[in-house]
Amino acid sequence: MNKLLVTAAACIAVFNASAQTKTTTTTKTKTSTVIVAPQVCRNSLDSFSYAAGMSVANSMKQAGADKLNVAMFAKAMNDVYGNKNTVFTKEQASMTLQEKLQSYSKKKTEALKQEGRNFLALNKKRSQVTSLPNGLQYEVISSGKGTAKPLAIDTVVVHYVGTLTNGSEFDNSVKRGSPASFPLNGVIKGWTEILQLMTPGDKWKVYIPSELGYGEYPPQGAAITPNAVLIFEIELLEIKPAAPAPTK
């Protein structure tokens, strides 16, 4: 939040620089017409100011603030840099930002959740898709010949490819060239539940609702949005039964 407040101060120079350049210069040659772009950033301060303005604008848009009163924004910058009395104290400004950004964030995550629900509702209508009462959906790509199914306490060895509903890939054990091995009760609920229905050799395409995935808090650094529906192609390679509890 403080970072946004600090970097936002540089945006005034953007308006000044933009206002000072009104036209483009056209240079004619024998073979073509060359459009010469106006010189917006005349020095390092202009460049820094413009970059800071872009940073603030992009951060605000990513946070869900799709509108901004530019006149009030510029007034705040002028008041601070002009050492004038500001409308808010620093504490009031921080609180106002936090409250509004939290509101934007909630609106954004709710929209993403509804988007996922709409996707699953349409996907459910496809004849090759099986829907379970808990919201999980799957379609069989190929079937194995075994009959054993893992328990939640077992360890499984799998190959998988993870994507979002827009087709973007966020994880792929096949590309890494090494299958994943993990205790089945140590992963997201959607994985724990769907793999208990599979047998070695099965390859399924699985659709996991956000509440059975990462919900509003996906792993940091992963290309997964909050409330995202997760799509996995999972191939169960092996079941490693849990070791029996030691007898007393």
Side-chain angles (χ1 to χ4, degrees):
M1 193 69 64
N2 290 334
K3 182 179 180 181
L4 289 175
L5 290 171
V6 173
T7 56
C11 289
I12 297 176
V14 177
F15 301 111
N16 293 336
S18 299
Q20 290 166 1
T21 305
K22 297 182 179 179
T23 61
T24 61
T25 303
T26 303
T27 302
K28 293 185 178 180
T29 67
K30 293 181 179 180
T31 57
S32 63
T33 300
V34 179
I35 305 299
V36 180
Q39 186 66 33
V40 175
C41 299
R42 298 171 300 172
N43 52 48
S44 61
L45 180 60
D46 285 358
S47 297
F48 168 77
S49 300
Y50 190 86
M54 285 184 62
S55 177
V56 172
N58 285 324
S59 295
M60 288 293 186
K61 288 181 70 176
Q62 289 174 2
D66 55 351
K67 294 182 180 179
L68 189 69
N69 187 326
V70 177
M72 291 302 293
F73 184 87
K75 173 176 170 52
M77 300 300 104
N78 282 313
D79 288 347
V80 171
Y81 274 89
N83 295 316
K84 300 177 183 178
N85 291 330
T86 55
V87 175
F88 298 134
T89 64
K90 289 182 180 180
E91 291 76 15
Q92 289 172 331
S94 178
M95 184 177 297
T96 299
L97 275 176
Q98 288 178 11
E99 289 178 352
K100 196 63 176 177
L101 288 176
Q102 285 174 357
S103 173
Y104 284 140
S105 178
K106 183 177 180 180
K107 182 179 179 181
K108 184 178 179 180
T109 55
E110 284 299 319
L112 290 170
K113 181 181 289 187
Q114 187 58 49
E115 183 180 310
R117 289 171 178 163
N118 294 341
F119 173 86
L120 291 171
L122 288 174
N123 196 55
K124 184 179 182 179
K125 296 178 181 179
R126 297 195 297 121
S127 59
Q128 60 268 50
V129 172
T130 299
S131 297
L132 302 177
N134 60 5
L136 282 170
Q137 298 177 3
Y138 71 92
E139 53 186 294
V140 177
I141 299 174
S142 59
S143 299
K145 297 180 180 180
T147 57
K149 296 181 180 180
L151 302 175
I153 59 174
D154 293 338
T155 293
V156 294
V157 181
V158 299
H159 260 315
Y160 66 91
V161 178
T163 59
L164 301 178
T165 56
N166 61 8
S168 62
E169 185 179 291
F170 59 84
D171 202 357
N172 190 326
S173 70
V174 179
K175 285 183 178 179
R176 290 196 297 271
S178 177
S181 176
F182 47 78
L184 198 48
N185 58 8
V187 290
I188 57 176
K189 290 181 180 179
W191 271 67
T192 302
E193 296 187 19
I194 202 68
L195 274 159
Q196 291 183 78
L197 304 178
M198 298 176 69
T199 62
D202 282 351
K203 187 176 183 180
W204 291 4
K205 190 169 186 178
V206 182
Y207 305 85
I208 301 178
S210 63
E211 56 268 25
L212 298 178
Y214 294 110
E216 294 184 9
Y217 307 101
Q220 290 187 348
I224 302 175
T225 56
N227 289 326
V229 171
L230 306 178
I231 303 173
F232 288 97
E233 285 191 7
I234 305 173
E235 182 179 8
L236 178 57
L237 302 176
E238 183 184 353
I239 303 171
K240 296 180 179 180
T247 57
K248 295 182 179 179

